[in-house]
Amino acid sequence: MTEAAYRSPGVWCLTTALLLACCRSSVARRPPSDSDRLGDTAATIAGALPFAPEDSEWPPYTGHGPEGIPHYANREFSVAERALLRRVYGVENPNRLYVSDSSEDGLLKYDTEAKRCATCYVNSYRVGLVSVRRPGESWEQLERRTHSMRARDFPTAARITSSSTADLDPAIRADVEQMLADAQRAGFVLHVKETYRSPEREAYLMAVSRGHTHTLTSLHSYGRAIDVVIGDGNLRRAATRARWIAFRKWVTTYKADEFRILGAPDRTWDWAHVEVPSPTIGFRTIEDAITRAQACSASTDRPVSCDFTPHLR
């Protein structure tokens, strides 16, 4: 099997189904609690609720503690595992890996520095998602490279915003359009600010925003996320903030939790973001990531990409 074929999400699912079925079949899906919904970013918000994995249902490096700090992996990593995670995924310190929340949509993430408090913002990356990271480059190295770049260093396409639902993954486009129509019927005044966002645009935004974005990986790059602005978008206005909170509560219950937000409905650094996760994009455990890395890099000692390939068309 060629590397390109192996990296196809469909082929990946077929070739690893037997390996993962035994561990995933024992994890029953349950409705996420308020603390689960804090997800990717609520650990950066004061007052975040704690979550502790129950028994063996979730890895011990799942979710966040009572201080809003992620439960980073504290397992022992072999020399070979550390070398593999560094070479394939750019992870310099695997003890800063964690799963963002306790639902089946919780993804393995890597922080380039340890979060020390609930309101301390740190850059986080979803392991295995596409980005501008070069083979063999660590996330720390990529951050330094990105921050050294200026707007003119990026291609013109990176400076162009797409707000068309036609640019979404065809698998979710109809659901997103239906959700938007139903939201309007429910009384929300909204407009779509952005849909598809290339890895180059993600890097451009980090380079020019200087602290307003904290990642170079996103489901936008898979056509599975949109940015939605409610009303006039002015969060300083109490009425706008209230309607935005109401929408974020509404969308997370729409169609049985199909849509996800970042943070809690009333506390987040990314109010506009709404996404539709996919079971074929991202990792739910460190072991999943290691297994994929071993398979896709088995034929070479050079750095390779084991990222999940977008399949928009």
Side-chain angles (χ1 to χ4, degrees), residues 242-271:
R243 292 303 290 162
W244 214 325
I245 292 171
F247 169 76
R248 284 165 62 81
K249 289 179 179 178
W250 177 88
V251 77
T252 56
T253 60
Y254 181 81
K255 283 200 172 180
D257 194 38
E258 178 182 2
F259 293 86
R260 305 275 292 182
I261 61 174
L262 298 183
D266 61 341
R267 299 188 302 276
T268 183
W269 64 269
D270 196 344
W271 286 84

Side-chain angles (χ1 to χ4, degrees), residues 176-196:
V176 171
E177 291 175 341
Q178 186 63 56
M179 181 274 290
L180 293 170
D182 288 344
Q184 290 177 326
R185 278 191 284 272
F188 295 106
V189 178
L190 54 80
H191 70 273
V192 177
K193 181 180 179 182
E194 192 161 11
T195 55
Y196 174 75

Side-chain angles (χ1 to χ4, degrees), residues 43-107:
T44 67
I45 306 298
L49 298 176
F51 169 74
E54 300 173 2
D55 301 325
S56 60
E57 283 192 357
W58 312 105
Y61 46 86
T62 298
H64 305 83
E67 301 301 322
I69 298 173
H71 289 133
Y72 292 117
N74 61 5
R75 56 162 280 191
E76 293 291 331
F77 290 89
S78 69
V79 173
E81 287 175 332
R82 286 180 177 274
L84 188 67
L85 290 168
R86 172 63 181 83
R87 180 164 58 92
V88 175
Y89 300 119
V91 173
E92 288 190 4
N93 183 351
N95 292 114
R96 289 200 299 270
L97 289 167
Y98 70 102
V99 174
S100 56
D101 68 34
S102 62
S103 76
E104 287 183 358
D105 299 326
L107 295 181

Side-chain angles (χ1 to χ4, degrees), residues 161-272:
T161 301
S162 170
S163 60
S164 173
T165 56
D167 291 332
L168 293 173
D169 184 341
I172 70 163
R173 178 182 175 183
D175 285 351
V176 171
E177 291 175 341
Q178 186 63 56
M179 181 274 290
L180 293 170
D182 288 344
Q184 290 177 326
R185 278 191 284 272
F188 295 106
V189 178
L190 54 80
H191 70 273
V192 177
K193 181 180 179 182
E194 192 161 11
T195 55
Y196 174 75
R197 186 184 297 155
S198 69
E200 290 75 19
R201 179 159 173 77
E202 290 285 355
Y204 168 79
L205 292 175
M206 177 172 277
V208 302
S209 66
R210 302 305 179 194
H212 292 289
T213 183
H214 297 277
T215 189
L216 292 164
T217 59
S218 172
L219 286 179
H220 279 287
S221 297
Y222 292 83
R224 299 188 70 91
I226 62 174
D227 286 345
V228 179
V229 175
I230 304 299
D232 61 9
N234 186 357
L235 288 164
R236 296 187 188 90
R237 294 185 67 242
T240 300
R241 179 178 286 267
R243 292 303 290 162
W244 214 325
I245 292 171
F247 169 76
R248 284 165 62 81
K249 289 179 179 178
W250 177 88
V251 77
T252 56
T253 60
Y254 181 81
K255 283 200 172 180
D257 194 38
E258 178 182 2
F259 293 86
R260 305 275 292 182
I261 61 174
L262 298 183
D266 61 341
R267 299 188 302 276
T268 183
W269 64 269
D270 196 344
W271 286 84

Side-chain angles (χ1 to χ4, degrees), residues 86-90 133-138 141 302-305:
R86 172 63 181 83
R87 180 164 58 92
V88 175
Y89 300 119
R133 190 176 64 85
R134 297 166 179 167
E137 188 174 39
S138 73
Q141 291 171 332
R302 293 175 298 177
V304 297
S305 174

